[in-house]
Amino acid sequence: ETGVTQTPRHLVMGMTNKKSLKCEQHLGHNAMYWYKQSAKKPLELMFVYNFKEQTENNSVPSRFSPECPNSSHLFLHLHTLQPEDSALYLCASSQGTLGRAGNQPQHFGDGTRLSIL
Amino acid sequence: ELKVEQNPLFLSMQEGKNYTIYCNYSTTSDRLYWYRQDPGKSLESLFVLLSNGAVKQEGRLMASLDTKARLSTLHITAAVHDLSATYFCAVERRETSGSRLTFGEGTQLTVNP
């Protein structure tokens, strides 16, 4: 039990579909993150939310649309994705955004393995 | 732009042996993290290194940080099979837009019986 739960664990979708990834954290954290992990590439930060406010959008294409209704839930809405978007999408949370969290690292979920046909 | 390089990217070692994974980064940083990832699993935090000369140990793993050399090491002592995983270092920098983590590519460690 990591304290950060992501659903679904696996998702296969066509390029014209619309789907959403969900992340829920049970740790009482106030910052949440989306990362993309592609094969043979470092983790890439996509979005940062602090107290439900988006504080960073790392030049992510508009076909990815995040939503953070409260500090415990984070969504990533997907539409008209491309084959190169196939990857593992990881959600993380922390107590405060980086730099204000003291010694606390980010806690990661197990990820959603996304495959675009 | 901050770049984080790990080496080696792949490491196969025998049980009982020692080895070191290196993490170099290109600009000044505020913190450095080491994470472990098992196949199909999430990233597990191992160490947070806050300042120059910091050294932390947990079991057979020891991490150190040299901010002047922009280098962190993860040393494995008397490896056991359970340590097989992918290890990531991540460097934190505070920027005007906030802080961010930049990850290395990861070192895939296989410990053979």
Side-chain angles (χ1 to χ4, degrees), chain B residues 94-106:
Chain B
R94 297 175 194 171
E95 301 173 348
T96 52
S97 60
S99 293
R100 62 160 60 200
L101 279 182
T102 302
F103 281 80
E105 291 181 69

Side-chain angles (χ1 to χ4, degrees), chain A residues 9 56 98-99 102-103 109, chain B residues 31 37 40 42 50 92 99-100:
Chain A
R9 292 294 309 277
E56 181 151 355
L98 302 170
N103 295 348
Chain B
R31 286 188 181 88
Q37 186 178 33
S42 67
L50 302 177
E92 178 188 348
S99 293
R100 62 160 60 200

Side-chain angles (χ1 to χ4, degrees), chain A residues 11 22 28 33 39 42 52 63 72 75 78 87 91-92 103 107 109 114:
Chain A
L11 178 60
K22 179 182 176 182
Y33 311 79
K52 304 186 298 178
R63 57 186 184 268
S72 299
F75 296 89
L78 316 171
C91 172
N103 295 348
H107 294 256
L114 177 64

Side-chain angles (χ1 to χ4, degrees), chain B:
Chain B
E1 181 188 347
L2 172 60
K3 296 191 177 185
V4 181
E5 293 183 348
Q6 285 182 238
N7 73 85
L9 298 182
F10 298 93
L11 176 57
S12 180
M13 56 191 297
Q14 285 190 308
E15 282 190 326
K17 298 293 186 182
N18 305 332
Y19 208 83
T20 300
I21 299 171
Y22 297 88
C23 174
N24 289 92
Y25 51 97
S26 59
T27 62
T28 56
S29 76
D30 299 293
R31 286 188 181 88
L32 190 138
Y33 302 78
W34 282 97
Y35 284 90
R36 167 183 173 147
Q37 186 178 33
D38 292 290
K41 300 289 187 181
S42 67
L43 275 75
E44 173 192 355
S45 174
L46 296 175
F47 301 107
V48 181
L49 301 170
L50 302 177
S51 59
N52 187 41
V55 177
K56 291 196 174 180
Q57 183 163 4
E58 181 73 33
R60 301 174 187 273
L61 300 178
M62 183 173 70
S64 66
L65 178 62
D66 181 344
T67 57
K68 294 180 181 177
R70 296 176 187 165
L71 170 68
S72 180
T73 61
L74 181 66
H75 187 72
I76 303 155
T77 302
V80 293
H81 180 68
D82 286 350
L83 290 180
S84 297
T86 299
Y87 293 85
F88 293 92
C89 65
V91 175
E92 178 188 348
R93 281 198 71 196
R94 297 175 194 171
E95 301 173 348
T96 52
S97 60
S99 293
R100 62 160 60 200
L101 279 182
T102 302
F103 281 80
E105 291 181 69
T107 297
Q108 188 174 317
L109 171 66
T110 303
V111 181
N112 301 304

Side-chain angles (χ1 to χ4, degrees), chain A residues 63-112:
Chain A
R63 57 186 184 268
F64 294 91
S65 175
E67 179 190 359
C68 189
N70 55 62
S71 293
S72 299
H73 293 86
L74 185 65
F75 296 89
L76 188 63
H77 303 300
L78 316 171
H79 64 97
T80 59
L81 295 191
Q82 303 299 309
E84 61 265 28
D85 297 323
S86 297
L88 180 68
Y89 288 84
L90 290 164
C91 172
S93 70
S94 68
Q95 184 56 40
T97 50
L98 302 170
R100 302 191 193 101
N103 295 348
Q104 301 306 310
Q106 292 179 13
H107 294 256
F108 284 80
D110 285 341
T112 295

